[in-house]
Amino acid sequence: MSASLRIAIVFACLLLAVYVIRLVLADKLQLRYSLLWLALVVTLLIVSLFPSPICWLSSLFGFVTSANFIFVAGFIFVILILLSLSMTVSRQAIAIKNLTQKIALLEKEVRSR
């Protein structure tokens, strides 16, 4: 990995970290989700500064190039994020349904009085 690419990755990671922190401070992103993104930033920083473990892991798992390994790892990461967000949406949908039913029962009770 060339030095210019490493510098670009470090710069992009720092920008992403600042952006995530600003979103948290503006209450546009919950802390639990920001920790996931900040963990990604730290991982990318480590990989960009020390690429040899990624090359070793990619050869260990049988990938021809480390770029393919990084692509697959990123794909798995995105799938895990989507699963987490789907679980959150499902929980919120159930909570909305329950609140709607409670409001309907309260309105019925108010009308009956």
Side-chain angles (χ1 to χ4, degrees):
M1 187 182 306
S2 68
S4 60
L5 180 60
R6 286 183 183 180
I7 292 171
I9 291 172
V10 168
F11 183 70
C13 287
L14 293 176
L15 284 177
L16 179 61
V18 168
Y19 183 65
V20 167
I21 291 169
R22 289 186 67 190
L23 287 174
V24 170
L25 292 176
D27 285 332
K28 293 184 179 181
L29 182 65
Q30 291 181 357
L31 185 62
R32 63 179 163 177
Y33 299 118
S34 69
L35 294 176
L36 180 68
W37 290 109
L38 291 176
L40 174 67
V41 166
V42 169
T43 304
L44 286 175
L45 281 174
I46 291 171
V47 167
S48 67
L49 296 176
F50 307 105
S52 57
I54 291 297
C55 295
W56 179 78
L57 280 173
S58 65
S59 65
L60 177 72
F61 289 118
F63 289 92
V64 176
T65 64
S66 58
N68 290 341
F69 176 71
I70 292 171
F71 179 75
V72 169
F75 184 72
I76 292 170
F77 180 75
V78 168
I79 287 176
L80 291 174
I81 289 175
L82 288 172
L83 179 63
S84 170
L85 292 176
S86 296
M87 289 172 22
T88 302
V89 167
S90 296
R91 268 188 261 121
Q92 289 177 346
I94 291 169
I96 289 170
K97 180 188 74 162
N98 291 340
L99 287 172
T100 304
Q101 290 172 348
K102 287 179 183 178
I103 289 173
L105 289 172
L106 288 172
E107 285 178 354
K108 181 181 177 186
E109 184 179 325
V110 167
R111 285 185 190 151
S112 67
R113 289 185 182 187

